[in-house]
Amino acid sequence: MDALIDLTLRALGAVFLNRFGLGFLLVLLALYGVGSDWPGWGTGLCGALGLSVWVVSLWFGWRDSQRPSGLPGSAK
């Protein structure tokens, strides 16, 4: 039983610490809220947060790819 708890906590940590996983979880939560008749502001908030997590992570990835690495011979 301890191994199952440990595995569950590690999986939840991986989802919440990963930007894609967190955004995916929030978007799925918004879709669940639409099907469960949650208030519109709740589902909209979850969906907007999920999409904004994805957009921010893509922007940071793009910004880091534009930055020179500082290694010799790798100038752009």
Side-chain angles (χ1 to χ4, degrees):
M1 190 66 174
D2 289 339
L4 182 61
I5 293 170
D6 182 53
L7 186 63
T8 303
L9 290 176
R10 286 179 191 252
L12 286 175
V15 166
F16 286 121
L17 293 177
N18 184 358
R19 290 184 194 143
F20 177 77
L22 181 61
F24 186 66
L25 189 67
L26 285 169
V27 168
L28 284 179
L29 189 63
L31 290 174
Y32 174 78
V34 168
S36 297
D37 293 330
W38 283 5
W41 63 268
T43 57
L45 182 67
C46 285
L49 282 174
L51 292 176
S52 64
V53 165
W54 281 341
V55 168
V56 167
S57 65
L58 287 173
W59 183 74
F60 276 121
W62 176 79
R63 189 186 66 170
D64 289 342
S65 71
Q66 299 298 317
R67 190 176 301 170
S69 64
L71 298 174
S74 65
K76 289 186 177 181

